[in-house]
Every structure is written in structure tokens, then in C-alpha cells.
Amino acid sequence: MSENMTQGNPLKLIVRFALPLLLGNLLQQTYYMIDAAIVGQYLGADALASVGASSSVQFLVMGFCMGSCCGLGIPVAQRFGAGDHKAMRKYIFHGILIAAVTSVLLMTVCYLLCHQILRLLATPQNIYENAYAYLSIVFLGIPFVILYNFQASVLRAVGDSRTPFLFLAFSTVMNVLLDLLCITGFKWGCAGAAIATISAQAISGVLCFGYILKKYKMLHPKKEERMMESHKFAVLLGMALPMGLQFSITAIGSMVMQSANNSLGSIYVSGFTAGARIKQFIMCPFDAIATAVSTFCGQNLGAGKYDRIRKGIRDGVLIGVGYGLVAGIVMIIGGRTFSLLFISTTETAVLDASARYLRCMGYFFWSLGILNVFRMATQGIGYPVPAIFSGVVEMVARTAVSLIFVPIYAYQAICFADQSAWLSACLYIVPTCLICLKKAEKRGNRKS
């Protein structure tokens, strides 16, 4: 069911909205963790390295897809908060067109450039063939990623974070079964892991589409609302492209970092892959909290309630930092134990590399609670372009560490590259968000 977030206790609303979103994010990361765990345990460390050798470029492309879909949902949330359902449905129609064209273009371009991407990442020759098989199939599944994430974004825009989670939960179970079938049953290797993942994503997208079609009549654009308007395209693209680019720009720095790490050899590629999978899983609460704050800000911006926006941002940061401190301690203490999910006990060098990566990450994990909330709040109040520059700051910091310090300190520099990016971006986005909020309030007061 949809939920109006312009009334009631901000903290309770954000937590209630974030919980199913958190579970959904955890399940989405479970896709990739299951792939890595089954590949690592059944196919070995080199196969695990094959799956992880292109993780940064996957983050770049899939991040662009998910970020763009989030951007397409912001005008929907604003119109829903203002009670203008007719304009809301027009934005949904135009969003469908943008999502369809984007999915075809991205799938085609990425698939054709797959070899060049792996060479750019300095993928070791002993894992190249399996890395190509995995990445090329993942790229063919891009339309399914966009299908699910666009619909989920629309549902979250009207306050329903529960429904996308339920369909994702079902498809995650399917992913486990398909992974076991494709890898251990059909013996398809790394390609089987990719086939299982995109099949599960397709299931979640189709189920979500059927539910909206049957249960959410208010989201169905009527005949007279299905007329193309250049202004609607401009507004949606003005939100979607910056949010997509923000993820992609951040990922460029990760690609440079991955290339630097790949050059250190397959042991560090495997250790980094395992550590990164665990990191992404533990990061899920940050994304859920930040997305909840963004939706909260978008609806309250439409309603002109700026004091509630400030309270929502404050409460989101408190939750995020508190979680980051606890999670950081867990990573420092339990990193090696978690790595055993992906790595055999006999691979001691790989285990050491993964545990070191997670331990170093834990010291500064709390900073993501500040960065994600302020960045998504900036987008939610209608300023996606300034948020892009936080991604630029991250990219520059990761790139600098990778190019300057990795040649000197090797893997130790890799272990601190993310933290330098997060802290640098925090210094930019916090004052930027507060300035943008003041501008939004002034603009709203002039209109009233």
C-alpha cells in the first residue's frame, strides 16, 4: 500500500519505509553473494577471481541503471506528495519510455564492448575466458535489471517499499536454486552463475509488473495522459541522468582501483572479490536509509514542509552513523570468518587478503552513514547535479590512491582507497546539501 510521508513522526516513517527496503537490498546483494559463494566453494579461487575481476564495471553499469531508475521516481514522489495524481501518471508514462530505450542501448553497447572492458581492467590471462563468459551474460540481463528497478522506484515513490521486497525475496530463492542447478547440475561454470542471476532478476521484474497491473490502478496512465511532452522528458532526464552518472562516476574510480588490484595477481583479485562482496552486503542498510530519506524529502518538498525535511535528514544521519559504528566493529573482528563463505580454509593467502581489506574498511565505515544520507537528500529535494560532484570527489580520491600509492604500498593502499573516497566526499556533500535545502525553501516561498 502507498504511504503519505508528509504527516507523522519522521523517524518512525523513515524506519518503517526503510525496513522492507533494507531487506530488499540485502536480498539483491544476496544474488551476488550466492554466486560468489557457490563459485568459490565449488569451482575454486580462480573461478571466484573470474566472477570478481569485472565487479567494478558491473557496479558502473548496474549502478547507472539503478541510479537512473531512482531518478525517474523522484518527480513521481513529488507529484504524489502534492496530491497531483494526473501529473504523476504522466511522469510514469514518460519514465517507461526512457527506461525502455535505455535498457536496449546499454545492453547492446556493453555486450559489444565486453572484451575491451576486460582488457582495460588488466584481467589476468588465466581467468580471462571465464570472466568474459560471466560478464557478457550479465550485460545481456540489463533490461531485466531496469524492468525491476523502475517499477520498484515508482512503488517506493508512492510510499510502498514492501511490495518490491516481497518479489525480490521470491526471486532470491529462485536464484539459489538456479545457481545450484546451473553450476553443480548442468556444470555450466561461471556462465551458469550469470544465467542464474539474470533469470532471477527477470522473475522479480515480471512479478512486479503483474502486481502493478492488477493492484495499482492509480499508477496506470490513462489514454489522454499517454501523450509525449518534451517538458516531462526534460524533468525526468534532469533527475535520472545525474543520478545514474553519480553511480557511474563513482564506479570509474573503482575501475581504476580494480585495475590496480588486478595487476597484483589472482590471489589479491580473489581476496578483494570476497571482501568486496561482504562489504556490499553490509552496506545495504546505508542504501535503505538513504533511499527512505530521499523519498521522505521528495514528498515533503512537494508539500512545502521544509522543517520536516531537516528533521528527516537529521534522523537519517543518526541512524546511519550508529549502524556504521556497529558494523565497522563487526568487520574488524569477524572479517576472516565471513570470508570463509567464499574461500576454502586451504587458501590462507586469499583469506588473509580478504580479512585485511575488511578490517581496514571497518575503521571508517561510519562515514557512509553521513555520505549516503546527505547525497540522497540532495537528490530528493531536486538538486541531482550537485550530488554528482560528490561522486566526482570519490572518483578522484580512489584514482589518486590507485595511481600514486598502489605502486608504493601495493595491496595495503587498495585496503584504504574506499575510505579516502568516502571521507573526501563527505567534506563536499554535507555543506552542499544544506545550501541546496535553503535554495529550495526560498524557491518554494516565492511560489507560494
PDB file of all heavy atoms in Angstrom, residues 192-206:
ATOM      1  N   GLY A 192      27.107 -20.260 -15.774  1.00  0.00           N
ATOM      2  CA  GLY A 192      25.905 -20.698 -15.074  1.00  0.00           C
ATOM      3  C   GLY A 192      25.508 -19.756 -13.953  1.00  0.00           C
ATOM      4  O   GLY A 192      24.313 -19.511 -13.723  1.00  0.00           O
ATOM      5  N   ALA A 193      26.514 -19.209 -13.248  1.00  0.00           N
ATOM      6  CA  ALA A 193      26.219 -18.248 -12.185  1.00  0.00           C
ATOM      7  C   ALA A 193      25.546 -17.007 -12.755  1.00  0.00           C
ATOM      8  O   ALA A 193      24.591 -16.468 -12.169  1.00  0.00           O
ATOM      9  CB  ALA A 193      27.500 -17.861 -11.458  1.00  0.00           C
ATOM     10  N   ALA A 194      26.020 -16.528 -13.911  1.00  0.00           N
ATOM     11  CA  ALA A 194      25.429 -15.350 -14.542  1.00  0.00           C
ATOM     12  C   ALA A 194      24.018 -15.643 -15.042  1.00  0.00           C
ATOM     13  O   ALA A 194      23.108 -14.829 -14.890  1.00  0.00           O
ATOM     14  CB  ALA A 194      26.311 -14.881 -15.693  1.00  0.00           C
ATOM     15  N   ILE A 195      23.820 -16.816 -15.642  1.00  0.00           N
ATOM     16  CA  ILE A 195      22.485 -17.197 -16.137  1.00  0.00           C
ATOM     17  C   ILE A 195      21.482 -17.258 -14.987  1.00  0.00           C
ATOM     18  O   ILE A 195      20.342 -16.794 -15.108  1.00  0.00           O
ATOM     19  CB  ILE A 195      22.564 -18.552 -16.872  1.00  0.00           C
ATOM     20  CG1 ILE A 195      23.339 -18.402 -18.185  1.00  0.00           C
ATOM     21  CG2 ILE A 195      21.163 -19.103 -17.153  1.00  0.00           C
ATOM     22  CD1 ILE A 195      23.672 -19.712 -18.862  1.00  0.00           C
ATOM     23  N   ALA A 196      21.902 -17.823 -13.867  1.00  0.00           N
ATOM     24  CA  ALA A 196      21.012 -17.908 -12.708  1.00  0.00           C
ATOM     25  C   ALA A 196      20.617 -16.525 -12.206  1.00  0.00           C
ATOM     26  O   ALA A 196      19.453 -16.270 -11.875  1.00  0.00           O
ATOM     27  CB  ALA A 196      21.703 -18.694 -11.591  1.00  0.00           C
ATOM     28  N   THR A 197      21.587 -15.610 -12.160  1.00  0.00           N
ATOM     29  CA  THR A 197      21.319 -14.262 -11.650  1.00  0.00           C
ATOM     30  C   THR A 197      20.356 -13.489 -12.535  1.00  0.00           C
ATOM     31  O   THR A 197      19.381 -12.899 -12.049  1.00  0.00           O
ATOM     32  CB  THR A 197      22.643 -13.480 -11.502  1.00  0.00           C
ATOM     33  OG1 THR A 197      23.461 -14.133 -10.535  1.00  0.00           O
ATOM     34  CG2 THR A 197      22.377 -12.055 -11.056  1.00  0.00           C
ATOM     35  N   ILE A 198      20.589 -13.479 -13.842  1.00  0.00           N
ATOM     36  CA  ILE A 198      19.707 -12.690 -14.713  1.00  0.00           C
ATOM     37  C   ILE A 198      18.321 -13.333 -14.818  1.00  0.00           C
ATOM     38  O   ILE A 198      17.320 -12.624 -14.989  1.00  0.00           O
ATOM     39  CB  ILE A 198      20.314 -12.464 -16.114  1.00  0.00           C
ATOM     40  CG1 ILE A 198      20.420 -13.773 -16.898  1.00  0.00           C
ATOM     41  CG2 ILE A 198      21.657 -11.775 -16.014  1.00  0.00           C
ATOM     42  CD1 ILE A 198      20.788 -13.567 -18.356  1.00  0.00           C
ATOM     43  N   SER A 199      18.242 -14.656 -14.682  1.00  0.00           N
ATOM     44  CA  SER A 199      16.936 -15.312 -14.685  1.00  0.00           C
ATOM     45  C   SER A 199      16.127 -14.903 -13.463  1.00  0.00           C
ATOM     46  O   SER A 199      14.922 -14.630 -13.547  1.00  0.00           O
ATOM     47  CB  SER A 199      17.107 -16.829 -14.728  1.00  0.00           C
ATOM     48  OG  SER A 199      17.774 -17.239 -15.894  1.00  0.00           O
ATOM     49  N   ALA A 200      16.789 -14.847 -12.304  1.00  0.00           N
ATOM     50  CA  ALA A 200      16.113 -14.439 -11.074  1.00  0.00           C
ATOM     51  C   ALA A 200      15.674 -12.982 -11.153  1.00  0.00           C
ATOM     52  O   ALA A 200      14.582 -12.615 -10.687  1.00  0.00           O
ATOM     53  CB  ALA A 200      17.036 -14.649  -9.885  1.00  0.00           C
ATOM     54  N   GLN A 201      16.515 -12.117 -11.750  1.00  0.00           N
ATOM     55  CA  GLN A 201      16.137 -10.720 -11.921  1.00  0.00           C
ATOM     56  C   GLN A 201      14.920 -10.578 -12.836  1.00  0.00           C
ATOM     57  O   GLN A 201      14.042  -9.746 -12.595  1.00  0.00           O
ATOM     58  CB  GLN A 201      17.326  -9.935 -12.484  1.00  0.00           C
ATOM     59  CG  GLN A 201      18.453  -9.740 -11.487  1.00  0.00           C
ATOM     60  CD  GLN A 201      19.716  -9.185 -12.110  1.00  0.00           C
ATOM     61  OE1 GLN A 201      19.938  -9.315 -13.318  1.00  0.00           O
ATOM     62  NE2 GLN A 201      20.569  -8.576 -11.303  1.00  0.00           N
ATOM     63  N   ALA A 202      14.874 -11.395 -13.874  1.00  0.00           N
ATOM     64  CA  ALA A 202      13.724 -11.361 -14.784  1.00  0.00           C
ATOM     65  C   ALA A 202      12.439 -11.743 -14.051  1.00  0.00           C
ATOM     66  O   ALA A 202      11.382 -11.130 -14.255  1.00  0.00           O
ATOM     67  CB  ALA A 202      13.967 -12.308 -15.960  1.00  0.00           C
ATOM     68  N   ILE A 203      12.533 -12.743 -13.177  1.00  0.00           N
ATOM     69  CA  ILE A 203      11.358 -13.173 -12.417  1.00  0.00           C
ATOM     70  C   ILE A 203      10.828 -12.039 -11.541  1.00  0.00           C
ATOM     71  O   ILE A 203       9.622 -11.771 -11.503  1.00  0.00           O
ATOM     72  CB  ILE A 203      11.709 -14.404 -11.562  1.00  0.00           C
ATOM     73  CG1 ILE A 203      11.938 -15.624 -12.463  1.00  0.00           C
ATOM     74  CG2 ILE A 203      10.610 -14.696 -10.540  1.00  0.00           C
ATOM     75  CD1 ILE A 203      12.540 -16.821 -11.751  1.00  0.00           C
ATOM     76  N   SER A 204      11.721 -11.332 -10.832  1.00  0.00           N
ATOM     77  CA  SER A 204      11.279 -10.244  -9.949  1.00  0.00           C
ATOM     78  C   SER A 204      10.643  -9.121 -10.755  1.00  0.00           C
ATOM     79  O   SER A 204       9.636  -8.523 -10.327  1.00  0.00           O
ATOM     80  CB  SER A 204      12.450  -9.716  -9.120  1.00  0.00           C
ATOM     81  OG  SER A 204      13.451  -9.161  -9.942  1.00  0.00           O
ATOM     82  N   GLY A 205      11.181  -8.814 -11.934  1.00  0.00           N
ATOM     83  CA  GLY A 205      10.616  -7.753 -12.771  1.00  0.00           C
ATOM     84  C   GLY A 205       9.243  -8.095 -13.295  1.00  0.00           C
ATOM     85  O   GLY A 205       8.321  -7.264 -13.279  1.00  0.00           O
ATOM     86  N   VAL A 206       9.068  -9.315 -13.762  1.00  0.00           N
ATOM     87  CA  VAL A 206       7.772  -9.737 -14.312  1.00  0.00           C
ATOM     88  C   VAL A 206       6.705  -9.785 -13.219  1.00  0.00           C
ATOM     89  O   VAL A 206       5.565  -9.357 -13.419  1.00  0.00           O
ATOM     90  CB  VAL A 206       7.911 -11.110 -15.005  1.00  0.00           C
ATOM     91  CG1 VAL A 206       6.542 -11.678 -15.378  1.00  0.00           C
ATOM     92  CG2 VAL A 206       8.783 -10.988 -16.259  1.00  0.00           C
TER      93      VAL A 206
END
